[in-house]
Amino acid sequence: MNRRNYQKELERFLEDWATKEQVPRLLLHACCAPCSSYVLEYLAEHMQITVFFYNPNITREEEYRKRVEEEKRLIRELPVKHPVSFLEGSYEPEQFFEKVKGLEKEPEGGKRCEVCFRLRLEQTAKAAVETGGFDYFTTSLTISPLKNAPLLNALGEEIGTQYGIPFLPSDFKKKNGYKRSIELSKEYDLYRQDFCGCIFSEQKKLESKKG
């Protein structure tokens, strides 16, 4: 059983940086503005953040573009201590479909989601290394109560070791992080979708509404 407290681990990092008066640079993978809202408010007190938007799982381009623009608007409007910038990855849904081939009927939260997490985290780590200047990378995905934080952290650490950049541990839903993200979404009138973005998640959501 995984007993690590990723929130406590993150807090130790923040305390150490404050003591040493350090402001590290973070490449933050974000899936949407609502999920990144609290993460930016929280971490930009301690870090210089670049939001990396790489989400090939978003099947419909209209949905993808809407989320991109909401992320940019949030960055413009959210008051933060240290600067936040935006970096958009390639929109390549064909990569997602190639990776999850054969896993189409997997349940939400199953093997298909794990493959999707890995795809997005690998691209984030790669972008951090290729762009240069980043001390850490992480993802806003752990803010969701529906996402497996231990799995995301394990994948992040494995990928970070592979690419030579540390993964910043997180469980952003803790300390009322998820609740705060809902509050910020309302405050900034953010577009808040009810599915992850992939066609499989959308179909399940439609089926649940019917039944």
Side-chain angles (χ1 to χ4, degrees):
M1 183 177 178
N2 192 311
R3 297 184 180 275
R4 286 176 61 182
N5 188 321
Y6 296 104
Q7 174 61 30
K8 290 293 184 183
E9 292 183 26
L10 174 57
E11 288 173 4
R12 285 195 288 271
F13 275 104
L14 303 184
E15 290 167 5
D16 184 55
W17 297 333
T19 299
K20 296 177 180 177
E21 298 184 344
Q22 295 177 336
V23 183
R25 289 192 62 204
L26 172 72
L27 187 63
L28 171 69
H29 166 263
C31 57
C32 61
C35 285
S36 65
S37 59
Y38 164 74
V39 180
L40 293 176
E41 180 184 67
Y42 178 38
L43 291 186
E45 284 291 307
H46 311 274
M47 311 184 79
Q48 292 185 36
I49 301 173
T50 297
V51 171
F52 182 57
F53 197 91
Y54 178 75
N55 297 289
N57 58 304
I58 302 176
T59 305
R60 290 187 286 112
E61 187 167 2
E62 179 184 4
E63 175 76 15
Y64 174 87
R65 296 297 169 196
K66 191 168 186 177
R67 294 195 196 191
V68 167
E69 292 309 312
E70 282 294 85
E71 189 70 52
K72 290 179 179 178
R73 180 170 70 85
L74 174 67
I75 291 171
R76 289 195 304 268
E77 297 180 5
L78 186 71
V80 290
K81 181 176 180 179
H82 296 294
V84 175
S85 56
F86 180 83
L87 176 64
E88 184 178 353
S90 300
Y91 178 51
E92 44 191 15
E94 68 280 359
Q95 286 291 323
F96 169 73
F97 285 115
E98 180 181 333
K99 293 290 185 181
V100 303
K101 189 174 182 179
L103 302 172
E104 293 87 351
K105 296 189 182 301
E106 280 281 307
E108 286 296 297
K111 182 63 177 177
R112 186 182 65 246
C113 292
E114 179 178 342
V115 170
C116 180
F117 295 159
R118 180 181 291 277
L119 172 62
R120 290 188 278 175
L121 288 172
E122 281 186 342
Q123 194 64 29
T124 306
K126 183 179 178 182
V129 171
E130 291 180 349
T131 306
F134 290 102
D135 302 293
Y136 299 90
F137 79 106
T138 196
T139 178
S140 64
L141 288 168
T142 65
I143 200 166
S144 171
L146 301 177
K147 298 294 188 292
N148 186 329
L151 172 61
L152 284 161
N153 279 274
L155 288 171
E157 289 172 356
E158 174 193 334
I159 292 164
T161 299
Q162 177 185 348
Y163 282 88
I165 182 166
F167 180 80
L168 189 68
S170 74
D171 194 352
F172 292 120
K173 71 178 74 61
K174 297 295 179 73
K175 294 187 70 176
N176 291 317
Y178 178 67
K179 178 182 177 183
R180 179 59 180 157
S181 74
I182 295 174
E183 293 172 350
L184 287 166
S185 295
K186 291 178 180 177
E187 182 179 343
Y188 288 91
D189 192 27
L190 298 175
Y191 165 60
R192 190 175 180 85
Q193 66 292 330
D194 59 359
F195 68 106
C196 80
C198 79
I199 191 171
F200 311 110
S201 173
E202 187 175 22
Q203 286 172 345
K204 183 176 180 181
K205 181 62 64 175
L206 292 173
E207 288 170 4
S208 67
K209 286 181 178 178
K210 289 179 182 177

